[in-house]
Amino acid sequence: NAGVTQTPKFRILKIGQSMTLQCTQDMNHNYMYWYRQDPGMGLKLIYYSVGAGITDKGEVPNGYNVSRSTTEDFPLRLELAAPSQTSVYFCATGQGNEQFFGPGTRLTVL
Amino acid sequence: GQQLNQSPQSMFIQEGEDVSMNCTSSSIFNTWLWYKQDPGEGPVLLIALYKAGELTSNGRLTAQFGITRKDSFLNISASIPSDVGIYFCAGYETDSWGKLQFGAGTQVVVTP
């Protein structure tokens, strides 16, 4: 039971490049979330999903897209990377009020 | 959006001392969660609180859901070196399900 897994762990992008951050969970939770964490700050919600086929914007969705075709997977897409998207990205799952986090992806945009 | 005010921002304590931190909001919350984050890792849930006045322990950690529903407290007793890390409060405003809000964190450093 791996919980929440994220790939890659680290990535460096050039401005304007695109990439997909992968998130997979084996906890059979309906709810999944993407957060970003900037230095010295708490986590901010980018997008979330209450089940397969359903997604909604969080606090900071601009520049990102998500999809949820299965219960297990919730990829986060950056289409045109910008330096402001340099951050650590965390995926989380939840059932009820509690959320459980993956190990994170550290992304640098140069 | 709503900001959670978490304090203190950092604490430098000696092993064996007790630690207290708190989190306040300007609106009513119906759930408070406390997480710990180690360097290079994701946050790990420590304690969840669901009712005003609730007091819950997890080993040496004790957290309380404030009576006003606008604050929460976390205490760590008899700190040890592995308590080092960043502690985050988080919570849900009433009628804001799915949108967990986080404080900025309290960095705890424990010296021998």
Side-chain angles (χ1 to χ4, degrees):
Chain A
N1 190 340
V4 182
T5 57
Q6 292 184 239
T7 57
K9 287 190 181 299
F10 305 94
R11 184 73 184 268
I12 298 175
L13 285 182
K14 294 182 180 177
I15 294 172
Q17 285 186 319
S18 62
M19 79 164 292
T20 299
L21 282 68
Q22 301 291 346
C23 176
T24 300
Q25 56 112 350
D26 63 2
M27 304 170 81
N28 202 31
H29 288 166
N30 286 328
Y31 308 108
M32 295 188 75
Y33 310 85
W34 274 106
Y35 292 88
R36 60 177 287 170
Q37 184 179 33
D38 298 322
M41 306 285 285
L43 282 71
K44 296 197 173 182
L45 183 64
I46 304 171
Y47 270 95
Y48 67 102
S49 168
V50 301
I54 306 169
T55 63
D56 208 348
K57 295 178 180 179
E59 184 183 355
V60 289
N62 291 344
Y64 307 95
N65 277 301
V66 293
S67 59
R68 184 94 183 273
S69 57
T70 67
T71 299
E72 293 78 21
D73 300 303
F74 190 39
L76 177 71
R77 179 85 178 159
L78 284 71
E79 291 293 350
L80 289 170
S84 61
Q85 293 178 305
T86 293
S87 191
V88 182
Y89 292 84
F90 290 100
C91 177
T93 73
Q95 198 84 318
N97 287 349
E98 299 172 15
Q99 294 187 20
F100 303 91
F101 287 81
T105 293
R106 184 176 295 274
L107 176 67
T108 301
V109 182
L110 300 174
Chain B
Q2 158 74 26
Q3 292 285 330
L4 291 184
N5 296 310
Q6 186 172 348
S7 64
Q9 190 173 13
S10 60
M11 305 185 72
F12 292 80
I13 58 172
Q14 284 198 313
E15 187 174 353
E17 287 184 341
D18 296 345
V19 176
S20 292
M21 62 194 78
N22 68 78
C23 204
T24 61
S25 71
S26 57
S27 55
I28 290 173
F29 276 43
N30 60 27
T31 299
W32 285 99
L33 307 173
W34 284 93
Y35 286 87
K36 181 182 181 222
Q37 186 177 28
D38 292 327
E41 312 253 340
V44 174
L45 183 63
L46 299 173
I47 293 178
L49 302 160
Y50 298 105
K51 295 194 312 185
E54 181 181 353
L55 187 71
T56 298
S57 293
N58 177 5
R60 292 177 296 104
L61 279 63
T62 301
Q64 184 162 25
F65 194 137
I67 291 292
T68 66
R69 299 176 64 191
K70 293 183 178 181
D71 56 8
S72 181
F73 308 87
L74 177 71
N75 295 312
I76 307 173
S77 63
S79 58
I80 59 178
S82 63
D83 290 334
V84 165
I86 303 177
Y87 293 79
F88 290 98
C89 64
Y92 293 100
E93 283 184 78
T94 304
D95 297 329
S96 187
W97 195 95
K99 297 185 179 180
L100 189 60
Q101 297 177 39
F102 280 81
T106 295
Q107 175 136 30
V108 172
V109 177
V110 180
T111 58

